[in-house]
């Protein structure tokens, strides 16, 4: 029988590896606990009612349908037994000749996991729908609220963390308040809502050049976002955030501050960095286990003695390809090759016609950067259907300021007292 | 102050009434426990992964945004106090000068409410997503299942009830099996899945002429649906359905058999029919309460001594307009008018290019009926955006056999044991 390669995780890294390996005479099994590949960079648009889940998520088995040597398994991985060469599922196991672990990351609350309920993060479709529910419900509750202080709290939206996700969320929340729902209420003026972006460090988008951080901050303020840097959050409850001794009341709080590598990393029994990422060799394999590779957000790959590579889609994609090639080299008895990252730039959107980007050393901001962001994201979306529908939704939103997915679904909301005669 | 009219429910009837009354110098409050109007006739397409929730649901306050005298309230109505002229919410109350109750209907399990978990019905977006989850998960579990009997049960889909919803669901489930996922699995052959439509009565679509029922049944069989008429369900469990003594094993069972009027009807303390619907006067008002109107699925309106009108969107729309006009007549001291229903026909779709219809006495079936169904549904969808996106999704699905929303979301699925080396 052909050698069996198991890939854990159907994100950017795992999916790229599966496509690459499908061209070889191998049996490939891709395991994911979700049935879909999620286009994470646009997840904040689901949270802010601009896109529907299905527009940024595609069934893994449909993407890999024509690759007949690839099997997709919907399963939860419990751990990897490197010595026995087995992936242990919660309900079964998979033996392998080579394994690529691409299990990604989730939120880190820096030791305060109890904050998660009060301030959900943004990693899965369920997270996004829960944030959407809370934001839309806060306006509904404010419309019916007769207590002025409470109403003010309901009309305050707090985003914790000034990285790309936090900036994108805050910009979109401001647009909802200023434009989308502006005319839809009778008792409240939604444009008076306060959108607060809290960043512990000295500037937003810390991974970008300082000049672009300043531009991003200015663009955020223009959209109506109140940016507070040097504002580390010290406590979170379901109806308030604390910055030092100051209490900021809010009923819709979003966490965009910290990322923690998948707990699967710990199960490997190898060396991790402080963020829980797995320290990999130059060829992305594990020390002592040349048939096991770790890629993407879960891997700590130190590029030429510098910082570990950031948890970005391009890193995961390039590593997925490199790991797949190294798996094939190893299975055919050839030496593996070092991974080297080609940085093509980074880009963060802030709102309508507003973004910052570093592309091939060039600093861009405003409309040009936004256009670049738009093209890059449409290009990397999977499938013609999704590209077409998302482009239409964006064009529609751009001209009408409306958002197509303003639905409150799931469990019922927080209760409100009201009377009207 | 202008008189206050409260409308309970933002479905076809309530929304039509709100639009009609917004033209008068009145204060109108529309109360719904959902923030959206749901286009029920296409809900089965969400359950079968063809459409996304946002494509058939629109925020009520957005629809009514420009009608400045209409206030939308997100609230749950507990009961109507007809004597005191108050609508009692779970968290407040609304006084009124006139009220229109359009609270709709939900499923009836004919006294077996314990069947609901095992066989969910199709009334809300949550219902639709739960059915989608179960159907897609059954294929995933079958792919990993090593026990032949269990695998067969996982690949059996049972729809209970042969009315329009049951027929539409069964047709769509057959298309998923025969086309959409046909090439996506490795261990199972999805085209071998069994789609079973169980109908207690002697024929499917009992509200249609007998010849069309026979045509519908033939079209269903051609799509791969096994139709069993005269098959009353006697018990349901999460993994089986019983017809008399016969046990039919299945892990994805859908209830499309019975409809029960909203429990709000009982709270009125007026006469109900056997289905729990409120017996209304000829002008749609309540006996003894000329300022209170009941319309849509909740109303039992007997048309010229015959059967009560069926729970269809056209009935609700026409009654919404009539009740609103009668409210205005009453508030301006004029006599109300009798409601009279103009039957424009009925139509049920079965699958791709396949439907039956009765339009102005004309019997249609096949492609022509399907085209009529498509045009009517696109026409009545709210908003250009939804119409455009739904038309695109349909065109895409028609040419590729793919379905855009094949996502398993929500709580994790039933566990499966599996091993692969």
């Amino acid at each position: 029988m052909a050698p069996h390669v198991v890939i854990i995780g159907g994100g950017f890294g795992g999916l790229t590896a599966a496509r690459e390996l499908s061209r070889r005479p191998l049996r490939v099994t891709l395991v994911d606990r979700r049935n879909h590949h999620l286009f994470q960079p646009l997840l904040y648009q689901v949270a802010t009612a601009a896109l529907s889940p299905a527009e940024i998520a595609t069934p893994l088995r449909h993407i890999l349908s024509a690759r007949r040597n690839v099997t997709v398994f919907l399963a939860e991985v419990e751990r990897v037994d490197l010595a026995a060469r087995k992936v242990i599922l919660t309900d079964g196991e998979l033996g392998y000749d080579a394994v690529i672990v691409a299990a990604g990351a989730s939120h880190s609350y820096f030791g305060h996991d109890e904050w998660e309920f009060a301030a959900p993060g943004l990693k899965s479709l369920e997270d996004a729908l829960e944030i959407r529910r809370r934001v839309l419900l806060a306006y509904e509750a404010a419309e019916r609220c007769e207590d002025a202080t409470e109403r003010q709290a309901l009309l305050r939206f707090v985003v914790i963390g000034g990285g790309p996700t936090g900036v994108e969320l805050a910009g979109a929340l401001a647009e909802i308040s200023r434009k989308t729902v502006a005319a839809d209420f009778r008792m409240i003026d939604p444009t008076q809502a306060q959108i607060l972006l809290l960043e512990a460090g000295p500037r937003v988008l810390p991974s970008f050049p300082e000049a672009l951080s300043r531009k991003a901050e200015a663009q955020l303020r223009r959209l109506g976002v109140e940016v507070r840097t040097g504002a580390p959050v010290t406590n979170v409850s379901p109806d308030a955030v604390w910055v030092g001794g100051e209490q900021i009341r809010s009923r819709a709080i979003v966490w965009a501050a910290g990322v923690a590598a998948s707990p699967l990393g710990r199960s490997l029994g190898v060396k991790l960095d402080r963020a829980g990422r797995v320290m990999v060799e130059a060829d992305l394999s594990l020390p002592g286990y040349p048939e096991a590779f770790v890629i993407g957000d879960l891997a700590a790959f130190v590029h030429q003695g510098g910082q570990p590579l950031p948890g970005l889609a391009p890193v995961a994609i390039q590593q997925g390809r490199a790991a797949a090639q190294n798996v094939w080299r190893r299975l055919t008895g050839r030496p593996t090759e070092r991974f080297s990252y080609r940085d093509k730039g980074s880009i963060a959107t802030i709102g309508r016609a507003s973004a910052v980007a570093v592309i091939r050393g060039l600093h861009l901001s405003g409309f040009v950067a936004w256009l670049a962001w738009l093209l890059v994201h449409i290009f990397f979306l999977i499938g013609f259907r999704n590209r077409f529908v998302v482009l239409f939704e964006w064009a529609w939103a751009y001209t009408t300021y409306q958002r197509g997915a303003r639905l409150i679904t799931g469990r019922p909301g927080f209760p409100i007292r009201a009377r009207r005669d």
Side-chain angles (χ1 to χ4, degrees), chain A:
Chain A
M1 255 201 309
H4 185 210
V5 183
V6 174
I7 300 168
I8 302 173
F12 289 108
L15 190 55
T16 306
R19 284 169 151 168
E20 187 78 21
L21 287 170
S22 71
R23 296 192 210 123
R24 309 294 181 181
L26 296 169
R27 288 178 306 137
V28 178
T29 304
L30 175 66
V31 187
D32 199 299
R33 58 183 165 182
R34 303 282 178 177
N35 83 323
H36 49 267
H37 169 75
L38 179 62
F39 194 75
Q40 283 268 0
L42 291 180
L43 191 56
Y44 82 97
Q45 297 215 350
V46 173
T48 53
L51 294 178
S52 280
E55 289 160 5
I56 61 160
T58 314
L60 285 165
R61 56 174 79 259
H62 178 58
I63 302 173
L64 297 165
S65 181
R67 304 179 189 243
R68 304 303 295 178
N69 59 336
V70 180
T71 301
V72 176
F73 251 46
L74 181 74
E76 174 108 36
V77 174
E78 208 168 76
R79 62 192 171 85
V80 181
D81 187 336
L82 291 171
R85 296 194 182 178
K86 275 182 183 170
V87 173
I88 314 297
L89 312 173
T90 50
D91 56 356
E93 55 180 58
L94 296 163
Y96 64 77
D97 298 296
V99 68
I100 297 176
V101 186
S106 62
H107 331 105
S108 165
Y109 287 86
F110 306 126
H112 292 281
D113 288 350
E114 71 277 12
W115 293 355
E116 183 164 14
F117 175 76
L122 188 61
K123 274 289 169 189
S124 67
L125 288 173
E126 283 83 3
D127 291 340
L129 296 180
E130 175 62 19
I131 291 169
R132 182 179 85 181
R133 198 182 71 81
R134 292 189 189 196
V135 168
L136 297 177
L137 210 47
Y139 284 104
E140 295 294 333
E143 173 81 345
R144 296 193 44 203
C145 180
E146 288 174 357
D147 177 80
T149 316
E150 177 63 16
R151 196 163 51 233
Q152 209 171 27
L154 286 164
L155 290 177
R156 186 177 292 119
F157 301 89
V158 179
V159 178
I160 305 171
T165 301
V167 166
E168 287 162 353
L169 277 168
L173 290 174
E175 184 173 316
I176 289 176
S177 140
R178 278 16 176 207
K179 300 288 179 180
T180 314
V181 302
D184 287 1
F185 292 85
R186 301 289 177 263
M187 315 294 170
I188 57 166
D189 177 1
T191 66
Q192 296 304 305
Q194 190 190 15
I195 321 291
L196 203 56
L197 178 64
L198 301 177
E199 163 60 37
R203 59 188 176 101
V204 299
L205 301 180
S207 64
F208 281 74
E210 213 169 321
L212 286 183
S213 287
R214 274 199 307 275
K215 285 195 175 161
E217 205 176 309
Q219 291 178 42
L220 281 167
R221 289 193 205 282
R222 211 152 37 228
L223 287 170
V225 177
E226 202 177 313
V227 182
R228 288 177 58 178
T229 51
V233 166
T234 49
N235 195 13
V236 182
S237 81
D239 57 6
V241 170
W242 281 261
V243 174
E246 183 194 0
Q247 187 203 40
I248 303 165
R249 293 198 59 210
S250 167
R251 297 293 287 270
I253 308 163
V254 188
W255 186 262
V259 168
S262 159
L264 208 58
R266 278 200 300 277
S267 87
L268 296 172
V270 297
K271 206 176 156 200
L272 308 179
D273 75 354
R274 280 203 317 174
R277 288 175 297 189
V278 177
M279 309 286 286
V280 292
E281 301 279 5
D283 66 352
L284 299 169
S285 73
L286 289 179
Y289 300 98
E291 73 286 354
F293 296 80
V294 179
I295 60 172
D297 289 6
L298 183 55
F301 181 88
V302 180
H303 194 52
Q304 295 167 347
Q307 290 288 310
L309 291 178
L312 295 172
V315 174
I317 290 170
Q318 292 181 30
Q319 290 185 339
R321 196 170 300 122
Q325 286 163 353
N326 278 341
V327 162
W328 179 242
R329 282 190 194 101
R330 213 191 113 71
L331 290 173
T332 49
R334 292 173 299 153
T336 57
E337 286 186 3
R338 304 171 70 89
F339 171 68
S340 116
Y341 178 56
R342 285 175 306 280
D343 186 352
K344 290 177 182 163
S346 45
I347 196 160
T349 183
I350 294 150
R352 181 184 193 76
S354 162
V356 293
V358 183
I359 299 173
R360 299 180 189 277
L362 214 65
H363 293 195
L364 303 173
S365 71
F367 186 75
V368 183
W370 180 75
L371 212 61
W373 175 88
L374 196 145
L375 292 174
V376 165
H377 284 75
I378 285 291
F379 180 79
F380 278 102
L381 253 183
I382 285 173
F384 167 77
R385 184 194 141 277
N386 282 347
R387 283 181 199 147
F388 180 87
V389 175
V390 169
L391 256 186
F392 172 78
E393 298 278 9
W394 286 352
W396 183 253
Y398 193 83
T399 41
T400 64
Y401 288 98
Q402 286 309 318
R403 288 169 176 257
R406 266 172 63 191
L407 304 180
I408 300 176
T409 52
R411 64 193 169 84
F414 32 90
I416 330 142
R417 285 234 139 250
R419 190 191 164 94
R420 187 174 192 233
D421 289 313

